[in-house]
Amino acid sequence: MLTDTHCHLDFNKFDEDRDAVIQRALGAGVERILIPALDYESSLAGIKLAESHSNIFAAVGFHPTDLDKWDESSIEDLRALILESSSLLLFQQKRASALQNKIVAIGEIGLDYYWVKEADKRAVQRDVLKQQLKLAQDVNKPVIIHMREENDAWFGQASIDLLEILSEWHQELSVQNHPLKEKPGVLHSYNGNLETAQKALQLNFYIGVTGPITYKNAEEKRQIIRQLPLERLLIETDAPFLTPVPHRGKRNEPAFVAHIADKIAEIHMTTREQIAEITSANANHLFGWGG
């Protein structure tokens, strides 16, 4: 059974056929789907979908390119979603336990220096990331990390800044002997170099692999994945984006995670079944589905 650990199923591109998309995913052997958030509203949308389907789970958080919606109350709004705060009156108390079980991570959070060029706005990204990491620490939820370099470079200031922030956070987790020190999160749709990936592995992070691994011009990316242990990989569609071959050019959907598994199997000279088993076990370990 496969797991899609990153799918924006709440996006309006799925409005016309969302149920059919979910059924196709089930038919393709996708046993679990995780919906990351971009802001407070998408956090709510992901939770609503997760509540309606036993195989769907949600993360809550603010994406680094959506911080125009962030204000001084945002961190407590996210905390209220997770902790069933009495101030959150959008849900009835009888649904609270289901809510808590369905929120399995904080994300999608991180740094994006591709779309954001201004130094002051990048500083805001770093500050908000640190606040959300602290929230993850407080509520014992792993994080889903977005990292994108200026000009989509393999390495740059975003990698440097992110590793510094994550290293400091992981050091604090270790000092506290916090449970997250062993499974702090995942670097989603990884697009950095091998050295950055190896440093993330030293911090016990997982590496998320998406559709571009299947592209003809992605040999360097495949070489990086070849050198990473299967026990630290997760597979993700990032649907509706990053559609893998042979569907490239079409809207992506969670059923297509099978093609990513096939390519990783080819790279590591094994079978789709083994990749599905290992990466699903990795996801279970990181997210503690339903726990």
Side-chain angles (χ1 to χ4, degrees):
M1 300 297 286
L2 295 157
T3 304
D4 183 358
T5 58
H6 200 108
C7 172
H8 297 281
L9 199 56
D10 58 307
F11 278 23
N12 59 17
K13 288 191 176 183
F14 294 109
D15 284 353
E16 294 185 2
D17 64 342
R18 187 172 287 108
D19 287 341
V21 167
I22 294 169
Q23 288 305 311
R24 283 196 293 271
L26 290 170
V30 180
E31 63 176 351
R32 289 190 178 94
I33 299 168
L34 176 52
I35 303 176
L38 303 181
D39 55 26
Y40 185 76
E41 292 303 319
S42 68
S43 295
L44 291 175
I47 292 167
K48 183 178 179 180
L49 271 171
E51 285 188 297
S52 303
H53 297 83
S54 62
N55 64 322
I56 296 178
F57 295 82
V60 300
F62 277 73
H63 190 280
T65 62
D66 287 84
L67 298 185
D68 56 321
K69 303 171 185 177
W70 177 273
D71 60 36
E72 60 184 14
S73 68
S74 294
I75 199 72
E76 293 308 319
D77 291 340
L78 294 177
R79 189 187 305 273
L81 285 178
I82 300 162
L83 300 180
E84 309 160 20
S85 168
S86 60
S87 64
L88 184 68
L89 302 178
L90 297 176
F91 301 94
Q92 298 176 5
Q93 185 64 36
K94 65 181 180 181
R95 299 170 67 189
S97 59
L99 244 187
Q100 190 175 38
N101 290 338
K102 284 294 189 168
I103 301 173
V104 297
I106 305 298
E108 173 179 357
I109 65 176
L111 301 178
D112 192 307
Y113 291 179
Y114 179 87
W115 293 110
V116 178
K117 314 293 186 185
E118 301 88 349
D120 59 334
K121 291 184 178 180
R122 290 181 176 182
V124 171
Q125 285 189 15
R126 293 191 293 272
D127 177 64
V128 172
L129 171 58
K130 291 176 183 178
Q131 290 187 57
Q132 293 186 97
L133 289 173
K134 180 61 167 64
L135 173 63
Q137 183 175 342
D138 291 345
V139 299
N140 192 25
K141 301 286 183 185
V143 293
I144 300 168
I145 297 292
H146 171 102
M147 180 187 75
R148 193 173 184 185
E149 294 284 3
E150 190 168 351
N151 300 319
D152 269 339
W154 286 95
F155 180 78
Q157 196 60 47
S159 298
I160 294 169
D161 291 347
L162 181 66
L163 281 174
E164 180 180 348
I165 292 170
L166 294 182
S167 295
E168 290 177 357
W169 181 56
H170 191 264
Q171 184 176 12
E172 185 176 343
L173 294 175
S174 298
V175 168
Q176 296 180 4
N177 197 27
H178 195 289
L180 284 181
K181 72 176 184 177
E182 301 298 334
K183 47 177 187 176
V186 56
L187 270 59
H188 148 66
S189 190
Y190 187 71
N191 195 41
N193 63 16
L194 178 61
E195 183 180 1
T196 300
Q198 290 172 333
K199 289 180 177 178
L201 294 184
Q202 291 171 6
L203 300 175
N204 294 326
F205 275 84
Y206 289 84
I207 302 295
V209 184
T210 46
I213 196 74
T214 68
Y215 298 170
K216 185 181 295 186
N217 64 350
E219 186 54 35
E220 189 171 356
K221 189 182 295 287
R222 288 189 282 273
Q223 289 293 342
I224 291 173
I225 297 303
R226 182 174 287 114
Q227 297 177 74
L228 300 180
L230 291 175
E231 289 72 23
R232 305 308 297 181
L233 299 184
L234 299 179
I235 48 178
E236 320 170 322
T237 58
D238 201 19
F241 314 112
L242 304 180
T243 310
V245 173
H247 302 288
R248 194 175 182 185
K250 302 176 183 177
R251 180 196 65 181
N252 201 2
E253 60 178 76
F256 297 166
V257 77
H259 301 296
I260 302 166
D262 286 342
K263 183 55 67 173
I264 297 174
E266 178 186 317
I267 292 168
H268 278 269
M269 294 182 291
T270 184
T271 63
R272 178 201 286 188
E273 289 73 21
Q274 185 178 30
I275 297 301
E277 181 178 353
I278 293 172
T279 56
S280 290
N282 294 344
N284 289 342
H285 180 254
L286 178 60
F287 297 117
W289 305 109

